Amino acid sequence: MKNLKTINRILFFILAAFALLYFGSSFLIPFLFGMFLASLMVPFCNLLEKIKITRLIASFISTFIVFVIAGGILFLFAFQVDQFVSNISSIKEQLQSFIDGIENQITSIANFSPEEQKSFWQDRSTQMIGEIETYVTNFLSGVLNLLTGFLLVLIYVFLLLLYRNRITEFIMMYTGQEKKQHTKEVLARINRVVFHYLWGRTKVMTILGVMYYITFLIFGLPYAILLTIFGAIITIVPYFGPLVSGLLPILFSFIFFDSLPKSVLFSIIIIIEQLIESYVLEPWIIGREVKLNPLIVIIAVLIGGMVWGLSGMILFVPMFAMFKIISSHSSGLEPLGFMLGNVKESEENQ
């Protein structure tokens, strides 16, 4: 009977959490982005305060750095997307040439006449080009909306840095005296995991972006900056992001390169870089910190996508990591912490 009550409480908590996440998305998404970015800047903010800079100024400088780096990347990305949209007509011609080349190959291999293929491809190619144009236009609109939301995120970053001690003290007021030290350790672990996850993810994205850009320049791939920024940023979504990140430049290579061996060589190099990112950089830089098993990471990405779209696919992995730490140190929730984890508790506490 006791176990049944515990299960009911857990199920009720999960349902209530999903209702809160779904209906409170307009507040929670920018707030969580602000919270995670603030966690990333806390060590730098502490460093400034150690050299006798006031917390107000240190918080402002830290927020300004976030604005310059993230805002600069978003602005450059939006500018590159705008150029891509303005050149969509020439891209249509390149894509049509690509389709014509496929038709010639099919004719030589399968003996289908160009007229038969043209009737097959005509409607589909026109529909595909139209969908690409519509998608890119909508994506540009989404980027502009993101820039507007980014200002709200910056406000949260500044205020969370400024009042971070007050927030901790507020939590301590609701904690019993015998559990204050334990609660401080849990909060410290959460901050450490969030920081290392975001900092590790930033390093992986930067390294992959450098590899991409050098490869694109060597092969002369058009829209190298756009594809580099997109390819690096989208990898923040575990498992699914790297797949999209690699497929897009490979598709561009087959459209814009005039040599099939060159496209094949380019594709092989991109695949190798993807393998380095997924099986070397990810486990080495990020895997040790988040400590979620791969099944839970995939579930977090899928649930995040269903609840909050792309923002959820980005945010739910560190949120699950935070929940794992809380459940591992909360009476009655230890099984959830065990299920979410990827290492033994003894290793985790080392």
Side-chain angles (χ1 to χ4, degrees):
M1 190 69 175
K2 184 178 180 181
N3 290 337
L4 182 60
K5 289 182 178 180
T6 302
I7 293 173
N8 288 335
R9 283 199 298 267
I10 293 174
L11 291 176
F12 176 78
F13 171 78
I14 293 174
L15 290 175
F18 273 103
L20 177 64
L21 292 172
Y22 182 78
F23 292 105
S25 60
S26 58
F27 163 73
L28 289 173
I29 292 175
F31 180 79
L32 286 171
F33 272 118
M35 185 181 73
F36 290 149
L37 289 174
S39 298
L40 186 61
M41 298 305 296
V42 163
F44 179 74
C45 199
N46 289 336
L47 179 62
L48 293 178
E49 292 177 23
K50 285 181 180 179
I51 59 177
K52 306 304 180 182
I53 295 177
T54 64
R55 172 157 295 187
L56 177 65
I57 302 300
S59 300
F60 177 79
I61 293 174
S62 301
T63 305
F64 183 73
I65 291 174
V66 174
F67 168 73
V68 170
I69 296 176
I73 293 173
L74 287 173
F75 176 79
L76 181 60
F77 184 63
F79 178 74
Q80 292 292 320
V81 172
D82 183 59
Q83 282 193 324
F84 180 81
V85 172
S86 63
N87 295 331
I88 198 73
S89 58
S90 63
I91 296 173
K92 287 181 181 179
E93 296 176 0
Q94 293 283 350
L95 184 57
Q96 190 60 52
S97 299
F98 173 66
I99 293 174
D100 292 340
I102 294 178
E103 290 179 356
N104 294 332
Q105 292 291 332
I106 294 175
T107 301
S108 62
I109 296 174
N111 293 323
F112 282 105
S113 66
E115 289 75 15
E116 292 174 322
Q117 295 179 55
K118 195 169 292 294
S119 62
F120 176 81
W121 282 105
Q122 189 170 12
D123 294 336
R124 290 165 177 78
S125 61
T126 303
Q127 181 181 1
M128 182 172 60
I129 292 171
E131 289 177 355
I132 291 174
E133 187 172 1
T134 302
Y135 177 79
V136 171
T137 304
N138 293 337
F139 187 77
L140 178 60
S141 176
V143 170
L144 295 177
N145 293 333
L146 181 62
L147 289 174
T148 304
F150 182 59
L151 297 178
L152 180 59
V153 171
L154 289 176
I155 294 173
Y156 283 134
V157 171
F158 173 73
L159 294 176
L160 288 169
L161 288 173
L162 184 62
Y163 295 115
R164 61 186 184 275
N165 287 350
R166 185 178 292 269
I167 295 171
T168 302
E169 292 171 4
F170 169 76
I171 296 174
M172 290 296 110
M173 290 179 180
Y174 286 92
T175 305
Q177 188 64 38
E178 68 284 357
K179 294 185 177 181
K180 285 187 182 293
Q181 185 60 36
H182 177 72
T183 303
K184 287 181 180 179
E185 292 175 359
V186 173
L187 292 175
R189 286 183 60 82
I190 291 174
N191 288 331
R192 188 163 59 249
V193 166
V194 170
F195 171 79
H196 283 294
Y197 174 77
L198 293 174
W199 181 236
R201 180 61 65 185
T202 301
K203 289 188 285 187
V204 170
M205 291 163 59
T206 302
I207 295 171
L208 182 64
V210 170
M211 291 192 299
Y212 271 172
Y213 190 62
I214 292 174
T215 305
F216 297 164
L217 288 182
I218 291 175
F219 281 85
L221 186 69
Y223 306 103
I225 297 178
L226 173 63
L227 292 173
T228 298
I229 297 175
F230 175 79
I233 291 177
I234 197 65
T235 55
I236 198 171
V237 180
Y239 298 108
F240 302 100
L243 178 63
V244 177
S245 158
L247 285 177
L248 195 60
I250 289 175
L251 176 62
F252 269 56
S253 71
F254 281 97
I255 293 175
F256 288 100
F257 291 168
D258 55 1
S259 170
L260 181 60
K262 182 179 179 181
S263 299
V264 172
L265 178 60
F266 176 84
S267 302
I268 292 173
I269 294 176
I270 293 297
I271 292 172
I272 292 174
E273 291 174 350
Q274 283 292 306
L275 292 175
I276 292 174
E277 188 270 343
S278 298
Y279 295 100
V280 178
L281 299 178
E282 285 263 359
W284 178 46
I285 297 176
I286 298 177
R288 297 174 298 174
E289 301 299 339
V290 177
K291 297 185 176 73
L292 292 174
N293 71 62
L295 174 62
I296 298 300
V297 172
I298 293 175
I299 291 174
V301 172
L302 292 175
I303 293 177
M306 290 187 294
V307 177
W308 285 349
L310 180 59
S311 296
M313 297 173 78
I314 296 171
L315 293 171
F316 268 51
V317 174
M319 286 171 60
F320 268 57
M322 293 167 59
F323 181 70
K324 173 195 171 296
I325 295 172
I326 295 172
S327 59
S328 296
H329 294 82
S330 300
S331 177
L333 295 179
E334 293 90 344
L336 284 176
F338 173 79
M339 180 62 191
L340 294 172
N342 198 30
V343 293
K344 295 179 181 179
E345 192 67 27
S346 59
E347 295 174 334
E348 196 175 275
N349 292 327
Q350 289 179 355

